[in-house]
Amino acid sequence: MSYSTADSFPSVTLDDVRGAQKMLTGVSRVTAMEGSRYLSQLVGAPVQFKCENLQRTGSFKLRGAYVRIAGLLPEERAAGVVAASAGNHAQGVALASSLLGVRSTVFMPTGAPLPKVAATRDYGAEVRLHGQVVDETLAAAQEYAARTGAVFIHPFDHPDIIAGQGTVGLEILEQCPEVRTIVLGVGGGGLAAGVALAVKALRPDVRIIGVQAEGAAAYPPSLAAGRPVAIENPATMADGIKVGRPGDVPFRLVEELVDEVRTVSENNLSSALLLCLERAKLVVEPAGASSVAALLRAPGTFEGPVVALLSGGNVDPLLMQRILRHGMAAGGRYLAVTLRLTDRPGALATLLGVLSVADANVLDVSHVRTDPRLGLTEVEVELHLETKGPEHCAEVNLALREAGYTVIG
């Protein structure tokens, strides 16, 4: 790596990314590009997915982790490596270490999804569960590194990590040379920095648009301040981009090379995940679907052809279930209503008859009879319905009110 004379932070060059690409030959996959007819029609220009959710370990993280560990000195390799992660970085470090014959220890939060913990172990790492949140896990990993001499592998704040992630950008240019806009999720900034560096060096006309979740958007205030700024209590379902402070090294590259950083809502994210599953038949985690969320939020604001980077596909099945329901609700295809009716024989059957005429599919029904808010002859019924869109939701609510039911939620 070269070092900038302007400051103490190491810089990354196109040659570094090209070197990383050679290093990763036979290690990481050249992941597929898949066209999206639905999004192309919505955006008004060709849209393709860069499917890093189909990468080994299920995300782009293997690229940077392998380049970082491969660059260690022999004595550093002998000391082993340590990382802290709730999922994707953990698996990338574990597999990269195994491929390079380096001992790895990965600290994960105690509440990390079991499939991610199991996968990290299967890739060869010793997993230690510590802390309720990633900050506590990170502190434990850094203490372990100081105590044992193991090399701490940062998930985004290192030049080798950025160079490895930048190989995604080289592949995009090779696979879609006509690209005009690349959209990708941003957490700490390693992926955005690497892709922007590689792409802008070869095609400065290509726009790079970063995407953050509204509840974990540290880059907009940081870019406004001209330096990394920490935000308190980042919150989003997209744990892969839930980072409270940009990395020092990637921030400088993002500030210089990324054209724009946008934010998306939780509704946008869940709708994007649902679209990837239904329309593209691709399993994508919320962070991986953030690029699609941005396209859904403002489809007319992207110059095509567009490449949307699907950065990962490691999603816990239980979380997937909740997100899909959330996405269906956001799209008007799932409706939860609570209403009160007289508690008498046949009352529920009559209600279900109204819903049948309205063509709403009942998924779940629950009764409450012993609430002090209810009258002696009242029952509260909560219904979960599958619907066909926002207009159908309105029709179902209208049908219930016209039948004399009091809808209270």
Side-chain angles (χ1 to χ4, degrees):
M1 298 297 163
S2 58
Y3 287 81
S4 169
T5 57
D7 51 51
S8 60
F9 292 109
S11 62
V12 191
T13 68
L14 178 61
D15 286 341
D16 295 326
V17 181
R18 284 176 165 157
Q21 188 176 43
K22 292 179 181 178
M23 189 182 297
L24 288 167
T25 301
V27 176
S28 64
R29 295 173 181 149
V30 178
T31 51
M33 297 276 278
E34 296 286 345
S36 171
R37 186 177 66 173
Y38 176 83
L39 284 176
S40 296
Q41 292 174 341
L42 186 68
V43 172
V47 175
Q48 294 194 64
F49 296 140
K50 174 61 171 170
C51 300
E52 282 295 288
N53 58 312
L54 303 180
Q55 184 58 261
R56 295 178 73 178
T57 74
S59 86
F60 70 95
K61 288 288 190 177
L62 171 66
R63 297 173 184 262
Y66 187 91
V67 173
R68 172 76 173 100
I69 297 169
L72 296 177
L73 298 172
E75 57 269 27
E76 291 176 318
R77 291 196 187 196
V81 300
V82 61
S85 169
N88 289 346
H89 181 59
Q91 293 172 66
V93 168
L95 179 57
S97 299
S98 294
L99 293 173
L100 292 164
V102 176
R103 184 178 72 257
S104 64
T105 302
V106 176
F107 285 77
M108 303 182 76
T110 55
L114 293 179
K116 293 186 178 183
V117 174
T120 304
R121 287 195 174 114
D122 288 344
Y123 287 128
E126 177 190 350
V127 175
R128 300 192 179 191
L129 301 177
H130 183 92
Q132 297 296 320
V133 296
V134 174
D135 285 346
E136 295 172 354
T137 307
L138 178 64
Q142 291 173 326
E143 187 278 330
Y144 177 90
R147 176 166 48 84
T148 66
V151 178
F152 179 69
I153 307 299
H154 199 284
F156 51 81
D157 205 11
H158 193 279
D160 291 343
I161 296 289
I162 293 169
Q165 320 306 29
T167 60
V168 179
L170 295 181
E171 289 180 17
I172 289 173
L173 293 183
E174 292 163 3
Q175 294 170 302
C176 185
E178 67 277 15
V179 64
R180 298 290 297 174
T181 305
I182 297 173
V183 189
L184 74 173
V186 181
L191 176 65
V195 169
L197 168 70
V199 171
K200 290 289 190 178
L202 297 169
R203 287 279 308 282
D205 59 302
V206 175
R207 282 181 59 79
I208 309 294
I209 297 180
V211 184
Q212 293 204 291
E214 287 177 346
Y219 263 92
S222 297
L223 292 170
R227 57 180 174 79
V229 173
I231 59 172
E232 293 185 6
N233 303 317
T236 174
M237 69 174 78
D239 58 355
I241 54 174
K242 187 171 70 173
V243 177
R245 181 187 184 278
D248 292 314
V249 181
F251 175 79
R252 293 167 182 270
L253 290 167
V254 171
E255 182 181 39
E256 178 184 357
L257 300 174
V258 172
D259 295 282
E260 185 181 355
V261 176
R262 302 185 181 187
T263 60
V264 293
S265 69
E266 299 298 282
N267 279 352
N268 297 146
L269 288 166
S270 56
S271 296
L273 189 147
L274 181 61
L275 183 144
C276 289
L277 186 63
E278 283 193 322
R279 298 298 183 101
K281 317 307 177 191
L282 291 168
V283 176
V284 183
E285 62 190 273
S290 58
S291 58
V292 178
L295 293 176
L296 292 176
R297 184 164 198 169
T301 61
F302 298 87
E303 182 182 0
V306 178
V307 172
L309 178 52
L310 307 181
S311 58
N314 293 316
V315 56
D316 178 54
L318 294 176
L319 176 62
M320 170 74 89
Q321 185 180 38
R322 294 197 298 270
I323 292 171
L324 290 180
R325 182 166 287 188
H326 190 268
M328 290 177 69
R333 294 171 49 201
Y334 177 86
L335 178 64
V337 295
T338 302
L339 46 84
R340 291 178 185 172
L341 56 140
T342 303
D343 190 10
R344 64 172 183 267
L348 181 59
T350 302
L351 170 60
L352 296 179
V354 172
L355 295 171
S356 177
V357 171
D359 203 19
N361 184 33
V362 179
L363 301 175
D364 187 43
V365 180
S366 63
H367 296 74
V368 176
R369 287 186 171 89
T370 57
D371 192 297
R373 296 178 295 113
L374 299 174
L376 186 62
T377 61
E378 284 185 322
V379 60
E380 190 170 277
V381 177
E382 183 178 353
L383 298 159
H384 295 261
L385 310 171
E386 184 180 2
T387 49
K388 300 175 183 179
E391 291 183 1
H392 190 212
C393 288
E395 291 170 3
V396 171
N397 274 308
L398 179 61
L400 289 169
R401 288 188 172 92
E402 288 183 341
Y405 296 103
T406 302
V407 179
I408 59 175

